[in-house]
Amino acid sequence: MKYRRHSNIHSHEDLKIDCSKCFGFCCVALYFSTMDNFPEDKEAGKPCKNLNKDFTCKIHKDLSEKNLKGCINYDCFGAGQKVAQNIYKGTSWNISSYQAQEMYDVFIAVKNLQEMIWYLYDGITFTEKEDLKLKIENMIKETESLTNCSAKDILNIKIEEHRNKVNYLLKEVRSHLRKRISSSKKSDNPLGFDFIGKDFRKKNLIGENLAGALLMGANLQNVDLSGVIIIGADMRDIDIRGCNLENTMFLTQAQINSAIGNSKTKLPVFIDRPSYWEE
Ligand code: SF4
């Protein structure tokens, strides 16, 4: 197969969320609204009304039933536990209230960096080119070292500049892959942007570019998404039952959580199958 992962040399495990080691940062630090299927309209820095004192969620078991997809789909890429345990050594935002705003800002910066590492992990599995692999390895190390800085240093990181460097490498992975294939899909131009509700079931999408596309409610049942770039695509309520995403590029857990799949949906090994998907 042209678009296939060569290895899974990196484990995404340390980028998976562990709410038991976090202080509910995402339920406090972020602005959210009922329009995005969160429980209330809330400003950044204010704890959600459902957050318990021990940082658990009062309605955790009912999130699905209450259709609180904003909560279900959110993924901090492990930033919450990292900020809580490594950077602030177990001191929470409510104990050290004078530091609370700083903690929220650090959480958001680390979340962005962890997300970049996730994509780099994915990118490296698609290339066999040794010099490119080395460049990605070095960028992973550089990005990881940024997440291990002090809070003060993290707040001085120019996140967008760093993201541009990461994106440049991810594009190199994509171009390298394209050079190896002889399909008509050589262009780096996205297939399009607005596909809300579109029926893709009879389309050959292999190798297409759906970066940043609006796919909400689209039907991709039984479609093969090998080699498709899906970075930043809005996959809320898309139907991916029976769909093959094993070799889809730059897919995240949050995208999968927001989609409708079933036991026949093929996922990369590092993505968890949502418990609420049908058989
Ligand atoms: S409802 Fe629960 S998971 Fe959602 S933001 Fe509030 S406390 Fe967090």
Side-chain angles (χ1 to χ4, degrees):
M1 194 198 284
K2 290 161 188 164
Y3 296 102
R4 188 170 56 81
R5 290 174 206 283
H6 303 292
S7 63
N8 280 299
I9 55 174
H10 281 286
S11 158
H12 290 67
E13 284 307 309
D14 53 340
L15 299 176
K16 292 197 173 175
I17 58 171
D18 183 351
C19 300
S20 69
K21 294 186 177 149
C22 178
F23 301 131
F25 280 119
C26 61
C27 310
V28 183
L30 308 176
Y31 149 87
F32 54 65
S33 120
T34 50
M35 297 271 288
D36 296 318
N37 294 100
F38 283 100
E40 60 177 337
D41 296 329
K42 177 189 95 52
E43 60 199 50
K46 181 180 160 223
C48 169
K49 62 180 181 183
N50 296 318
L51 188 66
N52 287 319
K53 286 210 164 64
D54 65 355
F55 310 113
T56 56
C57 171
K58 271 184 203 130
I59 56 166
H60 181 70
K61 284 193 191 131
D62 308 324
L63 291 175
S64 195
E65 195 184 304
K66 290 178 185 296
N67 199 30
L68 294 176
K69 291 182 182 169
C71 303
I72 295 168
N73 301 343
Y74 186 77
D75 186 359
C76 71
F77 298 92
Q81 68 257 30
K82 191 160 205 171
V83 172
Q85 303 304 330
N86 296 9
I87 299 172
Y88 289 102
K89 314 286 181 211
T91 304
S92 69
W93 49 268
N94 59 351
I95 290 175
S96 178
S97 55
Y98 76 97
Q99 264 189 326
Q101 186 56 52
E102 178 196 277
M103 288 180 177
Y104 306 150
D105 294 342
V106 169
F107 166 70
I108 290 162
V110 173
K111 185 255 176 188
N112 284 324
L113 293 166
Q114 297 275 97
E115 184 176 15
M116 292 176 215
I117 298 171
W118 177 280
Y119 292 136
L120 289 164
Y121 277 5
D122 202 35
I124 205 166
T125 67
F126 281 100
T127 180
E128 286 174 313
K129 206 175 159 209
E130 289 305 324
D131 59 334
L132 182 52
K133 267 198 215 171
L134 188 63
K135 281 197 266 183
I136 299 175
E137 286 281 2
N138 287 337
M139 185 56 76
I140 289 171
K141 283 186 196 143
E142 187 184 330
T143 311
E144 278 172 346
S145 72
L146 293 176
T147 68
N148 293 322
C149 290
S150 67
K152 202 171 154 214
D153 288 342
I154 286 172
L155 294 177
N156 283 326
I157 297 168
K158 293 193 169 35
I159 296 281
E160 289 316 308
E161 270 180 30
H162 191 75
R163 194 194 300 280
N164 286 341
K165 290 198 284 179
V166 169
N167 284 345
Y168 182 81
L169 273 184
L170 299 181
K171 276 186 190 154
E172 240 187 277
V173 173
R174 182 63 179 163
S175 332
H176 167 59
L177 209 54
R178 283 181 183 281
K179 277 186 200 138
R180 291 190 2 234
I181 61 168
S182 54
S183 85
S184 56
K185 294 168 184 171
K186 288 255 182 193
S187 161
D188 252 338
N189 294 327
L191 181 64
F193 188 71
D194 186 352
F195 298 114
I196 297 173
K198 189 174 164 71
D199 190 345
F200 281 106
R201 283 176 297 175
K202 292 194 177 144
K203 276 252 178 200
N204 175 6
L205 291 180
I206 294 173
E208 291 289 2
N209 186 355
L210 288 172
L214 299 176
L215 294 166
M216 290 96 86
N219 191 342
L220 285 95
Q221 262 188 63
N222 301 316
V223 171
D224 188 349
L225 293 182
S226 296
V228 173
I229 302 180
I230 206 91
I231 193 165
D234 191 332
M235 291 173 61
R236 281 176 290 171
D237 295 324
I238 76 167
D239 189 341
I240 50 169
R241 287 176 291 175
C243 192
N244 180 9
L245 298 108
E246 276 176 334
N247 295 298
T248 302
M249 300 178 79
F250 313 128
L251 181 70
T252 66
Q253 185 69 53
Q255 286 174 313
I256 286 300
N257 291 352
S258 68
I260 300 163
N262 63 6
S263 58
K264 295 198 174 85
T265 306
K266 291 185 184 164
L267 297 171
V269 289
F270 52 84
I271 297 274
D272 296 327
R273 187 176 302 274
S275 55
Y276 45 86
W277 277 8
E278 62 183 52
E279 283 303 305

